[in-house]
Amino acid sequence: MLSRVAASFYWLSRYIERSDGILRMLKINYNSSQDSTEGFTWAPVIRISSGLDEELEEKLGNDSRTVLRYMITDKSNQNSILNIITFARENARSVQEHIPKDLWQCLNEYYHTVKDPKLDIRLQKEDPITVLDVIIKQVMLYYGTAEITMERGQGRSFMNIGKYLERAIQSIDILDIKYKPTNANPTLLTDITYWKHLLLSIGGYELYLKTYRDGLEAQNVIEQIILNNDFPRSVIYSVNNIQRYFDRLKNNSNVNDYREISFQIGKLQSNIKYSSVKSITNQGLHQFLTLIKDDLYKIGNSLNEYYFANS
């Protein structure tokens, strides 16, 4: 497979996964803003998608509709859903002959749904949850179509590597940013609503209730998001799947390149697998997550160097 084609598959999938994560986070946070305005802030969401921009946080404030429009339809925000799906579509267009027609049509429909000028008006005047649900359904339609139409070859492997790499980074960012305030405000450690919203934002609340019987506790939330092999958005689940799909790329022409990246993935996999909540908290959650995230970025950089020809 040409490096250009491999890179397009990889980035197409990363952008789609990023849009899915942002949309789900926006939906849960909007619900949270309606449940209780006291103490609620959109700052964590803004930081996850736009970095530590205090001026931007001050500009957007806590007006939910303003934040939603910035995060979904604002062209000046590089990580807005509009820009993300545009980048995804550009990558898909460059490999259109390698993807099923149904998948291209599905992605195109997603793009036009977000690009429609009426969407911005609806975010201003209608129930935002209804609008978000419409967009989220487009993402789910894309995932379902990809699952049943994509050829089980190298292209799909690169797509899944991109998806799970992006997913692991998102889970790390959400946990890290949501856990930081507990250092200054220890009462959050026992705030059931606080942890419930975190789990809901990454689709882990129902599994948590089935797994842990002693209520919502910060230590259990950390365990589920980092170490739970049954949670589709846990860090270990994502890294295991990165390894799984990368193994399928091995061939006689790229043995040395394969070994280099496989070693990086295996080292990261072992580091997470043989950690515990106790060892993580002793090391410091932020430090642990930062090291894991750095390793994920290194894997991405190595893929770019060895497989995508620095594309």
Side-chain angles (χ1 to χ4, degrees):
M1 175 174 286
L2 294 174
S3 60
R4 173 188 60 79
V5 174
S8 292
F9 274 125
Y10 170 83
W11 281 107
L12 160 63
S13 197
R14 282 198 66 169
Y15 285 129
I16 293 293
E17 181 66 26
R18 190 176 303 174
S19 73
D20 183 51
I22 290 174
L23 286 166
R24 293 177 183 278
M25 187 167 51
L26 290 175
K27 179 178 177 179
I28 297 305
N29 276 269
Y30 180 79
N31 273 332
S32 177
S33 72
Q34 302 305 297
D35 290 342
S36 174
T37 56
E38 184 179 354
F40 174 82
T41 175
W42 279 99
V45 175
I46 299 169
R47 289 172 192 167
I48 288 170
S49 62
S50 304
L52 297 174
D53 190 334
E54 294 182 1
E55 290 185 8
L56 178 61
E57 288 181 31
E58 186 177 343
K59 176 184 175 182
L60 295 176
N62 260 356
D63 183 84
S64 295
R65 291 183 186 270
T66 300
V67 173
L68 288 174
R69 290 173 63 200
Y70 175 76
M71 296 294 298
I72 297 173
T73 60
D74 194 329
K75 292 182 180 180
S76 69
N77 175 14
Q78 188 175 3
N79 266 328
S80 70
I81 300 299
L82 175 59
N83 282 329
I84 289 173
I85 191 58
T86 300
F87 296 146
R89 186 170 178 264
E90 288 172 356
N91 279 281
R93 184 188 293 279
S94 69
V95 292
Q96 193 171 347
E97 67 274 19
H98 298 280
I99 61 176
K101 183 178 179 181
D102 287 343
L103 189 62
W104 167 253
Q105 290 177 338
C106 179
L107 181 60
N108 217 30
E109 184 178 338
Y110 181 12
Y111 168 77
H112 286 293
T113 297
V114 179
K115 195 173 184 294
D116 188 345
K118 294 179 182 178
L119 185 68
D120 195 54
I121 298 172
R122 293 182 65 192
L123 284 170
Q124 295 179 57
K125 298 182 177 181
E126 297 182 18
D127 175 23
I129 295 299
T130 303
V131 180
L132 285 166
D133 281 341
V134 169
I135 309 174
I136 290 171
K137 284 180 181 177
Q138 291 292 331
V139 185
M140 298 308 294
L141 181 61
Y142 168 88
Y143 277 137
T145 305
E147 180 62 28
I148 64 176
T149 62
M150 272 298 295
E151 173 190 351
R152 268 48 179 174
Q154 287 187 332
R156 184 170 180 268
S157 292
F158 280 114
M159 287 175 72
N160 280 309
I161 291 169
K163 177 173 75 173
Y164 287 110
L165 189 67
E166 183 68 32
R167 183 175 294 184
I169 291 171
Q170 282 189 11
S171 293
I172 287 171
D173 282 342
I174 291 172
L175 178 58
D176 193 23
I177 285 179
K178 293 291 283 185
Y179 197 85
K180 274 182 183 178
T182 64
N183 296 323
N185 185 8
T187 58
L188 289 175
L189 291 171
T190 56
D191 187 333
I192 294 176
T193 303
Y194 188 79
W195 298 112
K196 177 182 178 180
H197 284 146
L198 189 158
L199 289 167
L200 285 169
S201 67
I202 57 174
Y205 183 60
E206 290 185 15
L207 178 61
Y208 183 96
L209 295 179
K210 294 176 183 177
T211 306
Y212 303 96
R213 302 296 182 182
D214 47 356
L216 279 164
E217 295 184 3
Q219 299 299 302
N220 292 339
V221 172
I222 292 172
E223 182 177 68
Q224 176 165 316
I225 295 176
I226 299 176
L227 304 171
N228 191 325
N229 284 292
D230 295 325
F231 180 37
R233 291 187 177 274
S234 74
V235 180
I236 187 62
Y237 182 90
S238 297
V239 173
N240 286 343
N241 275 282
I242 293 171
Q243 180 71 74
R244 173 190 175 192
Y245 287 103
F246 184 71
D247 284 346
R248 299 183 182 184
L249 298 177
K250 184 178 181 180
N251 58 55
N252 293 330
S253 64
N254 68 348
V255 174
N256 292 332
D257 296 344
Y258 170 85
R259 284 176 180 168
E260 173 66 27
I261 301 179
S262 183
F263 174 78
Q264 292 178 13
I265 300 172
K267 183 180 177 183
L268 173 59
Q269 198 174 23
S270 296
N271 186 17
I272 302 169
K273 181 179 179 180
Y274 295 108
S275 295
S276 64
V277 175
K278 183 177 180 181
S279 68
I280 291 170
T281 51
N282 286 340
Q283 178 181 349
L285 179 63
H286 175 68
Q287 182 180 355
F288 177 84
L289 292 176
T290 299
L291 291 174
I292 297 299
K293 187 176 175 180
D294 287 345
D295 286 342
L296 287 166
Y297 280 130
K298 287 176 184 176
I299 292 168
N301 290 337
S302 294
L303 286 167
N304 186 53
E305 179 180 355
Y306 295 120
Y307 282 85
F308 306 152
N310 298 304
S311 58

